[in-house]
Amino acid sequence: MREYEVNNRGNLVFGGCDTVALAKEYGTPLYVIDEEYLRAKCREIRETFLEKYPNTKAVYASKALQTLEVCRVIKEEGLGFDTVSGGEVFTALKAGVEPETMVFHGNNKTLDEIEFAVKNNVGRFVVDNEYELENIGIIAKKLGKTVKVQIRITPGIDSHTHEYISTAKIDSKFGVFCEGETRDSIIGKAIDNPSIELMGFHCHVGSQLMDNQDHMMALPIVLNMVKEVNERFGFAPSELNLGGGFGIRYVDSEQETRVADFTDPMMEEINGFFAENKLPVPTIYIEPGRWIAGNAGITLYTVGSIKEIKGIKTYLAVDGGMPDNPRKILYGAEYEAVTANRAAVPANKQFSIVGKCCESGDVLIDKCNLAENTVSGDILAVFATGAYNYSMASNYNRVPRPALVMVKSGKARLSVRRETYEDMILREI
Ligand code: LLP
C-alpha cells in the first residue's frame, strides 16, 4: 500500500482522481491503475540500476499486469518485456513492443508458441529444459534463424516466500539444477547446436521477497557455476539474468523496498567475481514485475450486505472477490482497505471483507479496520492490487471481469471495458 490522499469531500484520491467519482462513472468492481506510478517505478530502475551500471537490462515481467496500454507505458520508459506465453508475446507485439526487447519464458512452451516467437524474432528464449532446446533448434533451423538463449538454472535454495511462488529449489518444475550431468548436457547441446546461440544463464529465486537475502544466497552459487562451466566448456556467458522477485509493501507494517537494495549488492558481487576471474562482465538482466505494478493499482468495490454475527465478527461483502483477486485464497495474501467515501473518518471498527462467490474461502481481508459508519452502498478501496489481480482474474461463478481505468494526474480513461454477460458466452458453439 501507499500513503494515501484524501480530498475535501473526505474521499480517497488516487492518481489525482476522486475514487468515489471513478466508481460512479465506471462502475464497480473497478481496477484503477496509476500511470505516473508505473512510470516513476521504471524511472527508479533506470536511475538506480540501468544508468548506474553499464551493460544492464531491465525487462518487465508482463505476468504481473499486461494490457496494451501498460505495455506502451513500460516501453516508453525504456524497459524490455519478460513474456511467458504466446498470449503475452502477442499482446506485447500488438502494443508495438520491439520483439528484440522480449525475453520468452516458460517451462513448457508449446511448439506453436516456439514457432510464433521465433517467427516474430523475440529477442531471447529462456530455455527451461533439453526437450525445449531441441525443439527451438528444429524450429529455428526450419525457419532459417539463429535463436539467442539463456538457460534457466535453479541454484537449489529455498526462498523465504510462499511455497507456490518459490522457484529456486532443487525440487522445482523450473529450469535445470546448477550442478551435475543434466546441466552439462543441456549446456553442451546448446553450444553445439548451430541454430542456437547460447548467451548465458537465468535464475529467478522467488517472488515477493522483502530483502535481498535469497538473491544474495543464490548469486554465489550461480557465479560458481559460471566458473565451472568456463573451465569445462571454455564458455564465458555474455548475459546473466537474475530474475525478479523484489517485494512490495502490501500492508502498513511492511516497508517499501528500493530496487537498489537488491541490485547494488548483487552488482558489487558480480563485478568482483568477474574481475577476480578475469572474465568479461556479462550484461546483467533483471525482471521485476510486482515491484513496478503492485502499488500502481487499487480495486474499488461497492459495499453490499453487512452481516454482524454477535460476538464473532461483522462480515462486509463486496461486489467482487476471488474472481478479480484470487491472491488471498491462493496464497493467504494480506491487503489493506479503506472506505473510499469516508477516508477521513478514523478506521475503528473491524470487519471481515468477503467476496460474492459461492465459496467460504472467498475472503479478501480477514480483519480490516474501516470507518465504523461504513454502510451498504459505500465504496471500498483495496490497496496494492496492481500486480497479479487483473492478470489472474477469472469468471468463476460467471462473474464478469471488472473494467480497468488508467489514471494520470487527475484524469481517468477507460483502458479495458467491463466484461458483459454476452462476452462470457461468446466462444460457446
Ligand atoms: N521472472 C521470472 C522468471 C518469474 O517467474 C517471475 C515471477 C518474475 C520474473 C517476476 O516476479 P516478480 O518481480 O513479480 O516477483 N502469482 C503470484 C506471483 C507469481 C510469480 C511468478 N513468477 C502472486 O500473485 O504473488
Side-chain angles (χ1 to χ4, degrees), residues 184-401:
D184 288 348
S185 169
I186 190 168
I187 294 174
K189 286 184 176 158
I191 292 173
D192 289 345
N193 192 323
S195 302
I196 283 175
E197 186 179 353
L198 178 61
M199 308 303 288
F201 305 103
H202 171 279
C203 168
H204 169 80
V205 282
S207 199
Q208 183 52 14
L209 298 165
M210 294 307 282
D211 59 46
N212 62 26
Q213 219 185 317
D214 295 310
H215 290 84
M216 293 310 286
M217 205 191 312
L219 188 56
I221 301 173
V222 174
L223 295 176
N224 184 53
M225 188 200 91
V226 166
K227 196 170 161 184
E228 279 178 23
V229 169
N230 185 253
E231 284 159 7
R232 197 176 174 97
F233 294 93
F235 172 81
S238 55
E239 295 179 352
L240 218 46
N241 184 335
L242 302 171
F246 316 146
I248 61 155
R249 181 176 182 226
Y250 277 99
V251 293
D252 232 356
S253 57
E254 289 169 334
Q255 297 287 318
E256 295 278 357
T257 59
R258 295 174 314 155
V259 87
D261 298 338
F262 296 88
T263 49
D264 280 347
M266 290 200 281
M267 291 310 289
E268 194 183 328
E269 177 134 358
I270 288 167
N271 287 329
F273 170 88
F274 284 95
E276 195 178 306
N277 288 281
K278 302 198 171 48
L279 289 170
V281 183
T283 300
I284 303 297
Y285 284 63
I286 54 168
E287 299 178 328
R290 187 191 320 264
W291 191 84
I292 294 173
N295 270 311
I298 59 172
T299 309
L300 301 177
Y301 301 95
T302 300
V303 176
S305 64
I306 299 181
K307 192 182 290 179
E308 185 177 351
I309 305 182
K310 285 259 178 299
I312 302 191
K313 61 169 74 154
T314 303
Y315 280 105
L316 179 152
V318 295
D319 53 354
M322 61 184 282
D324 62 80
N325 184 357
R327 297 195 67 257
K328 162 76 176 154
I329 198 161
L330 278 174
Y331 319 116
E334 290 186 71
Y335 287 93
E336 306 257 6
V338 66
T339 306
N341 54 311
R342 302 179 199 279
V345 178
N348 52 12
K349 178 164 176 182
Q350 197 176 83
F351 294 89
S352 184
I353 300 174
V354 297
K356 71 196 296 294
C357 281
C358 202
E359 184 136 337
S360 303
D362 178 22
V363 175
L364 282 176
I365 309 180
D366 278 322
K367 291 177 182 169
C368 180
N369 281 349
L370 298 175
E372 70 179 335
N373 55 350
T374 299
V375 291
S376 307
D378 280 356
I379 301 300
L380 188 86
V382 176
F383 296 104
T385 59
Y388 303 112
N389 272 230
Y390 173 76
S391 62
M392 292 175 78
S394 78
N395 281 134
Y396 185 46
N397 285 187
R398 288 256 148 160
V399 175
R401 271 174 270 232

Side-chain angles (χ1 to χ4, degrees), residues 1 18 37 46 59 75 81 96 102 109-110 120 144 155 182 194 205 250 268 301 340 348:
M1 70 170 300
D18 182 319
Y37 187 86
R46 276 205 315 273
V59 292
K75 177 191 146 168
F81 291 80
M102 289 188 214
K109 302 173 186 77
T110 65
N120 281 290
T182 317
V205 282
Y250 277 99
E268 194 183 328
Y301 301 95
N348 52 12

Side-chain angles (χ1 to χ4, degrees), residues 19-32 299-302 319 379-380 401-405 414 416 418:
T19 56
V20 180
L22 290 177
K24 197 161 172 207
E25 182 167 359
Y26 299 100
T28 58
L30 183 68
Y31 295 119
V32 186
T299 309
L300 301 177
Y301 301 95
T302 300
D319 53 354
I379 301 300
L380 188 86
R401 271 174 270 232
L404 185 151
V405 298
L414 185 62
V416 183
R418 185 173 303 285

Side-chain angles (χ1 to χ4, degrees), residues 128-198:
D128 183 272
N129 55 70
E130 266 191 40
Y131 172 67
E132 180 190 335
L133 186 80
E134 261 169 48
N135 287 327
I136 295 174
I138 294 166
I139 290 168
K141 190 170 172 204
K142 184 178 88 181
L143 298 172
K145 304 206 183 203
T146 308
V147 172
K148 293 188 162 90
V149 310
Q150 301 170 350
I151 294 175
R152 179 159 182 172
I153 55 127
T154 48
I157 66 157
D158 205 350
S159 62
H160 297 81
T161 190
H162 192 283
E163 193 191 344
Y164 289 7
I165 52 178
S166 156
T167 44
K169 296 189 290 185
I170 301 181
D171 178 1
S172 169
K173 75 164 184 167
F174 297 107
V176 292
F177 185 47
C178 62
E179 291 171 14
E181 271 171 42
T182 317
R183 175 198 80 183
D184 288 348
S185 169
I186 190 168
I187 294 174
K189 286 184 176 158
I191 292 173
D192 289 345
N193 192 323
S195 302
I196 283 175
E197 186 179 353
L198 178 61

